[in-house]
Amino acid sequence: MLGRATARTQEIGVRLALGAGRARIVRQLLTESLLLSALGTAAALVLATWGARWLVAWASAAGDWRLSLALEWRHLAFTAAVAVAATCLFALAPACAATRLDLHSALQSATGGHSAGRFRNRLGRCLIVAQLSVSLTLLSAAALLANSLWNLRHQDFGFDADHVLMTDIPLEFTKAMMRRNTALRQPLYDRMNAIPGVRSAAVDAFGVLDSIVYTCWLSTPERPAQSGDYYTRLVHISERYFETIGTPILAGRGVTAADRADSPRVVVLSQTAARTLFGSASPLGRYVSTGKTFASKNALQVVGVAHDVRFANPREPFGFVLYVPLAQDPAPVTAVLLRAASDPGHLAPTVRAAFREVDPAVFVGAIHPLADRVEAQLSNEKLLALLSACFGLLALALTAVGVYGVIAYAVQRRTQEIGIRLALGAERASVSRMMMRDVALLALGGTLLGAAGAVAATRALRTMLFAFDPADYGLLLAAAALLLLVSIPAGYLPTRRAARLDPMNALRQQ
């Protein structure tokens, strides 16, 4: 708008000289700008209608976010007010400035001799520098959030979710239903392991990615329970549990069929719990208790150490976990896990039929691959990374258009100067270098300001970033390189056109 207003200064001066009213010219310029704004608004409404649904559906993995995505008048009114204000600011202000000139000044400004034209040119450059800096800040934030999402996805969860199907059994806290669910343990275990294509199956209570968490105190004969030990997670499992979810046994063994109700009570500790309780000594054969102080009647013999597992939130650190056999410590079954030889999704109908065979009255919840459950835990991070990437790329596109417009306007204003230089023997390459210096200065100024904004954004986002490392500041350099990779060619296109001008045609232009 700044460039167009300056380019039309001569036209506006002629209209004023012929008796046109200033208010009428301002209305005309504002109407043209509002028409462009209306077209942009229509495109934005289309994007808002289907774009929001696509973003939420993609980020929520299973598409189960119950969000109202209908356009509300308050949101529409606010964004419309912002659009109208921006249109008035960047269209009405230059129009008013242009109509304040007399004809002589307007003719001078059209050829670049008036200070108003130079002022608008400087203002346009300042706006481009600001746009570059904002783009770099947004790109840096997008890179950091995307890297954080990558770290979350590729961290060590402690289990292998590939080819594992998980079936939820909603728990009703009535004595009759809890007894009924407890009685399902062995029939479900036997029936699920008999399904063709299933490598192993297991049942558990309050296990991995379960919405219900059961915690207890933890003590040993040498160490009473500490304040943080109350958050020790107690998981009831059947045999083949570790084999099914793919959690390695680091020492000893897991739960087996030999761990019956009439056999000595045993427990498998998580790696963090074993290291904290027994240090570098072997925990195998040692005893732990689930009370605040160790009680021999509640003692559990450690028979194995399992790799740490992130049970619920992927951001949570590894904690204390006790795995006890369901046969020795009965509990209502809350999930059934199956490891398939291939894609586990096709087993869902078979699993539902197996549940009906075991107990037609049992209520079966969601049946989905365990990998999908893990992905659903990252929905917030996915949405943040996707939104920041979209905003960053949009800002990058606007920046490219802005750089192109400013340089193209500068070429237009300096057409006669370029023609004189070429007529006097200047090389076309030197003309290109002269114009590219302006592009380089704009890019350098925007990059320096954007780098400061990117560092500030990094500090603001630090609590949202997972496994952030000082080496991740290299992502800011990559974002700056991407910005330069887009802005330099955008400025080079009008510069190349300037170098190809015919000197005689350029000198004839007024």
Side-chain angles (χ1 to χ4, degrees), residues 1 4-5 8 12 22-38 83-96 99:
M1 293 301 175
R4 289 177 68 248
R8 299 178 66 181
I12 294 172
R22 298 178 187 272
R24 181 174 182 177
I25 294 177
V26 170
R27 285 198 302 270
Q28 175 190 341
L29 297 176
L30 185 58
T31 301
E32 294 173 358
S33 302
L34 286 174
L35 179 60
L36 291 176
S37 181
V84 171
T87 302
C88 292
L89 177 63
F90 290 103
L92 187 58
C96 292
T99 55

Side-chain angles (χ1 to χ4, degrees), residues 20 57 78 102 125 134 139 178 211 243 274 359 372 374 398 509:
F78 174 77
D102 55 26
R125 290 170 181 270
V134 170
L139 287 172
M178 292 182 72
S211 59
E243 175 187 352
D359 187 348
D372 290 352
V374 174
L398 293 175
Q509 296 186 20

Side-chain angles (χ1 to χ4, degrees), residues 476-491:
L476 308 187
L477 296 178
L482 177 60
L483 185 66
L484 295 175
L485 189 64
V486 171
S487 59
I488 295 298

Side-chain angles (χ1 to χ4, degrees), residues 59-62 64-65 371-382:
S60 61
D64 55 355
W65 283 6
D372 290 352
R373 286 288 293 269
V374 174
E375 193 70 15
Q377 299 293 318
L378 305 176
S379 55
N380 288 339
E381 287 77 7
K382 286 174 61 179

